[in-house]
Amino acid sequence: MSTSWEVSERQLERLAFRRRQDRRRMTIALVSTTVILVGVALLVTSAPGWDRVRETYFDWEDAKESFPEIAKAFVTNIKAFLIAEVLILALALLVAVVRVVPSAWMAPLKVVATVYTDVFRGTPTLLIVLLVGFGVPTLGLQGTTNDPFWLGIVALTLSYGAYVAEVIRAGILSVHPSQWASGRSLGLSYAKTLRYVVLPQALRRVTPPLLNDFVSLQKDTALLSAIGVLEALRQAQIYSSRDFIFTPMVVAAVFFIVATIPLARFTDWLSLRAARRQSGAA
């Protein structure tokens, strides 16, 4: 005789109560957000200088005129972001592994890795972009490029590599020592234990903060305009300086917002999922 599991009446009541609470919270959030946004809009548009602000920052004709060229230039931002992201991950992983490997003969490399992370985390990214973008061509070294785009990629890689290296190192150190012991007890070498046992767990744990860093990286590609790269911000500056308007700046800002919001929401979702897993495990 087979029996089927059924949800109890008490559990159904609990689920219905939770759904009512969720709907109530969502309704309150939507109403309060709408009221605040409408209030802010009325306050701004009723200000004495709103007509001048609208003409300078939110002119529809200026936006339509500058949109195509800024969109074309924003492709450069996307290319810089994608290329730098790969290079940053490779450099950061190398630096993080060097700093955690307990080997005496790697002491000089550990010193270099430590100095690198300390110096580049403490130096503003804009300053690094300027130093690399103008300093490397001045050196006149054979085999180096003078292309500001690739010099900007190098600068972003050096700057963000230091931050990401510390995030990955923190993830490696957060893995319980028993995981190392388990890998070694199975006959794996230290390198294989790190590669197959520790790193997968560490990278999974630090994925949300890594994505936050890459959200910042997407915005900081605009810093390449300081060394002459024709990207979205630089193109907007050209329009603004020519016509003494700032609507193109707003258009460029919208491009960055549209590009970063999906990644930011994905980061929030990953963080929430990790929190739910931990609470479930607890």
Side-chain angles (χ1 to χ4, degrees), residues 36-106:
I36 292 175
L37 291 178
V38 170
V40 171
L42 291 175
L43 179 64
V44 172
T45 55
S46 62
W50 166 244
D51 290 337
R52 180 59 178 167
V53 170
R54 181 179 58 185
E55 180 184 350
T56 305
Y57 291 91
F58 304 105
D59 186 85
W60 179 245
E61 294 301 323
D62 292 335
K64 288 195 299 183
E65 179 185 353
S66 61
F67 182 89
E69 293 300 324
I70 293 177
K72 187 185 302 183
F74 190 69
V75 175
T76 302
N77 294 88
I78 299 298
K79 288 170 57 179
F81 168 72
L82 295 176
I83 296 172
E85 182 179 4
V86 175
L87 297 177
I88 288 167
L89 284 173
L91 175 62
L93 184 60
L94 176 62
V95 172
V97 169
V98 167
R99 295 196 65 185
V100 300
V101 171
S103 178
W105 68 270
M106 291 187 66

Side-chain angles (χ1 to χ4, degrees), residues 95-147:
V95 172
V97 169
V98 167
R99 295 196 65 185
V100 300
V101 171
S103 178
W105 68 270
M106 291 187 66
L109 295 178
K110 287 178 177 291
V111 172
V112 173
T114 303
V115 171
Y116 160 71
T117 54
D118 290 344
V119 170
F120 281 90
R121 281 197 306 161
T123 306
T125 304
L126 176 58
L127 184 55
I128 296 174
V129 170
L130 293 173
L131 289 174
V132 174
F134 296 129
V136 171
T138 304
L139 291 174
L141 298 175
Q142 294 294 328
T144 59
T145 181
N146 291 332
D147 188 341

Side-chain angles (χ1 to χ4, degrees), residues 126 133 149 155 157 167 177 199 228 248:
L126 176 58
F149 175 81
T157 301
V167 172
L199 272 181

Side-chain angles (χ1 to χ4, degrees), residues 123-199:
T123 306
T125 304
L126 176 58
L127 184 55
I128 296 174
V129 170
L130 293 173
L131 289 174
V132 174
F134 296 129
V136 171
T138 304
L139 291 174
L141 298 175
Q142 294 294 328
T144 59
T145 181
N146 291 332
D147 188 341
F149 175 81
W150 289 105
L151 292 174
I153 295 294
V154 172
L156 292 177
T157 301
L158 292 174
S159 179
Y160 273 85
Y163 291 101
V164 175
E166 286 300 282
V167 172
I168 295 176
R169 186 172 76 95
I172 294 174
L173 296 177
S174 70
V175 177
H176 198 272
S178 62
Q179 299 298 307
W180 292 93
S182 299
R184 300 307 299 274
S185 66
L186 292 174
L188 298 178
S189 64
Y190 183 90
K192 289 185 176 180
T193 301
L194 177 64
R195 177 181 176 184
Y196 294 111
V197 179
V198 176
L199 272 181

